[in-house]
Amino acid sequence: MSTTARITSDLDPFSAEFRADPYSHYAALRALGPVVWLERHGIWAVSHHDTVIAVLNDWQTFSNAGGGGLANYFKEKPWRPPSIILEVDPPEHERTRTVLSRALSPRTLRAIRGRFEEDAATFVAGAVRKGRIDAVPDLVQPYPLKVFPDSVGIEAEGRENLLVYGAMVFGSFGPRTPWYEELMTRAPAVSAWILDHCRRAALAPGGVGAMIYAAADAGELSEDEAAMLVRSFLSAGVDTTIDSIGLTLRALAEHPEQWALLRDDPSLARAAFEEATRYDSSSQSLFRTTTREVEFAGATIGRHEKVMVFLGSAGRDPARWEEPDRFDIRRRTTGQIGFGVGIHGCVGQMFARLEAEVFFQALAAAVDRIELDGPSALRLNPGLRGLSSLPLVLHRAS
Ligand code: OVV
């Protein structure tokens, strides 16, 4: 076997500096090569559109059983029992994936759309009345935090726990920092609330949570597995949509000519969200762990090594996209992989798209012009990209 010289870099994808402007760092990573050893963390980085897809399509080599984040479950103990959909490989994965896909199917979405529309209209009307807002707490956060738990069938009381839990889940994807240790002091109480709300008795009839228990009744899952799949909803369903809607709104606010296109033709809402997911996805990176030594894109990757896969870089790869740094809601976004691809591609992506489409249609109907009213701020969670603040003035449609 030939020995390949590994390409190394001291870039730290978890540093505040990297996360403040990941796109220039991705360009540097892509220029180094498709697979680069990140010496600070002892992991591999994959940043080209085609190699990102190649990794995500080879689940036999690039496993999810080693954990969804930087922690290597082949060597370390997970902070919570691993997800039975995200952190498993086939054949185990297939059964749980089937149940979640069915619960989040077009049929469910058709039944839910009307409620999304009512809630979106209400939140948008409130924000427009206010005019000058911080769009994150005033608009972007409240909408998913209502419609998602409503759809699952979770009671209204205590929903703020979902945000703290989401921060833990996605925080655990990164390194063990003081920020993380501090956050995790709340884990016992918050995890207890979450687990309590994953029980059959805690879920309203007719909701998506109850559909998971119906699968248990049909013999497809055990009662404990049903609770674990509801936990997956509560882990991955809230922050992800808050962050992706927030980043889409910022992109539209920063590109007034794109906002004008959407305002004049609200049927572009879905396309705008899709383009924003290419341009600035809330999921910038994911992890895989090798099951064997593998020659990949010119590198020799050892067994049980962590591979960090940059969806956010794939969306800006000039080998795949024309003018990748241009936000253009009329772009053909086919090949956009901000939701991932392959067997672990986001199972809730149609749900997320519906949430966003309804939201931006409501906004387009009520708002003529969006004015930036100060700098936005990033929410510093290593597993998700999102905003903590987005000051705006909404000028209402006449
Ligand atoms: C995709 C994703 C992210 C975080 C948590 C989970 C899934 C889960 O299944 O718990």
Side-chain angles (χ1 to χ4, degrees):
M1 198 160 57
S2 67
T3 49
T4 44
R6 65 171 59 174
I7 300 167
T8 69
S9 166
D10 68 355
L11 277 175
D12 177 1
F14 300 106
S15 69
E17 187 219 348
F18 189 104
R19 286 189 283 166
D21 176 22
Y23 300 108
S24 65
H25 295 296
Y26 294 154
L29 266 180
R30 286 193 306 266
L32 285 170
V35 193
V36 174
W37 176 251
L38 299 182
E39 52 201 19
R40 301 266 187 110
H41 295 284
I43 59 175
W44 297 91
V46 174
S47 61
H48 291 193
H49 186 270
D50 58 350
T51 42
V52 163
I53 290 175
V55 168
L56 297 180
N57 278 328
D58 183 359
W59 55 264
Q60 290 94 338
T61 307
F62 299 100
S63 165
N64 274 42
L70 180 63
N72 188 338
Y73 296 178
F74 295 149
K75 299 174 180 174
E76 305 162 56
K77 188 175 149 12
W79 75 282
R80 61 173 195 165
S83 164
I84 63 169
I85 179 156
L86 175 69
E87 297 174 321
V88 291
D89 297 327
E92 293 81 2
H93 174 255
E94 199 175 333
R95 192 166 49 94
T96 50
R97 173 84 184 194
T98 301
V99 171
L100 283 200
S101 303
R102 192 193 311 131
L104 300 168
S105 70
R107 196 192 153 109
T108 305
L109 298 185
R110 274 196 298 278
I112 282 175
R113 184 181 186 113
R115 270 170 280 157
F116 281 10
E117 286 173 343
E118 275 176 36
D119 287 325
T122 304
F123 285 119
V124 165
V128 170
R129 230 178 290 121
K130 233 173 143 179
R132 181 180 297 265
I133 59 170
D134 185 334
V136 174
D138 292 340
L139 183 59
V140 165
Q141 213 174 58
Y143 167 69
L145 194 54
K146 175 160 198 313
V147 299
F148 188 79
D150 278 1
S151 306
V152 175
I154 301 278
E155 64 174 339
E157 181 83 30
R159 287 182 178 180
E160 65 283 355
N161 283 290
L162 294 168
L163 297 176
V164 187
Y165 192 65
M168 290 173 183
V169 167
F170 289 97
S172 75
F173 285 5
R176 300 294 169 257
T177 57
W179 169 84
Y180 178 74
E181 300 301 343
E182 165 68 26
L183 176 66
M184 293 310 276
T185 59
R186 301 171 69 186
V190 172
S191 302
W193 187 93
I194 293 290
L195 291 189
D196 189 51
H197 287 76
C198 292
R199 288 178 305 114
R200 183 192 284 266
L203 297 162
V208 181
M211 290 175 70
I212 305 299
Y213 279 95
D217 292 336
E220 292 176 85
L221 300 168
S222 71
E223 194 83 0
D224 287 349
E225 287 173 327
M228 283 292 279
L229 288 181
V230 175
R231 194 194 73 171
S232 285
F233 282 146
L234 304 188
S235 302
V238 180
D239 297 55
T240 47
T241 46
I242 291 172
D243 289 339
S244 56
I245 289 173
L247 292 171
T248 304
L249 180 56
R250 182 171 72 168
L252 289 164
E254 287 179 345
H255 299 82
E257 80 296 346
Q258 299 294 313
W259 170 257
L261 290 171
L262 174 60
R263 180 201 59 207
D264 294 345
D265 180 3
S267 77
L268 286 170
R270 221 168 230 263
F273 183 63
E274 210 61 25
E275 167 66 349
T277 305
R278 175 198 69 81
Y279 177 77
D280 203 11
S281 178
S282 59
S283 292
Q284 290 288 307
S285 53
L286 342 141
F287 290 85
R288 295 293 186 261
T289 316
T290 51
T291 53
R292 61 179 176 92
E293 183 179 291
V294 57
E295 293 292 324
F296 183 78
T300 305
I301 304 182
R303 178 167 183 264
H304 289 177
E305 296 194 332
K306 278 275 159 182
V307 181
M308 190 172 187
V309 179
F310 288 97
L311 302 176
S313 174
R316 300 287 190 107
D317 184 350
R320 174 62 183 79
W321 306 101
E322 239 169 76
E323 294 189 75
D325 298 329
R326 200 157 69 84
F327 177 66
D328 173 8
I329 69 172
R330 289 181 298 184
R331 181 192 292 274
R332 272 197 59 151
T333 51
T334 313
Q336 177 296 98
I337 57 167
F339 287 108
V341 288
I343 63 167
H344 291 285
C346 178
V347 71
Q349 60 185 279
M350 298 311 283
F351 204 98
R353 287 192 181 101
L354 180 65
E355 251 180 80
E357 176 190 10
V358 165
F359 178 87
F360 286 103
Q361 282 186 349
L363 200 64
V367 173
D368 178 51
R369 197 162 57 81
I370 302 176
E371 184 189 333
L372 289 165
D373 191 33
S376 56
L378 286 171
R379 199 164 66 84
L380 285 185
N381 187 301
L384 272 185
R385 180 171 172 81
L387 302 176
S388 58
S389 178
L390 178 60
L392 298 178
V393 181
L394 302 180
H395 297 273
R396 67 176 81 212
S398 44

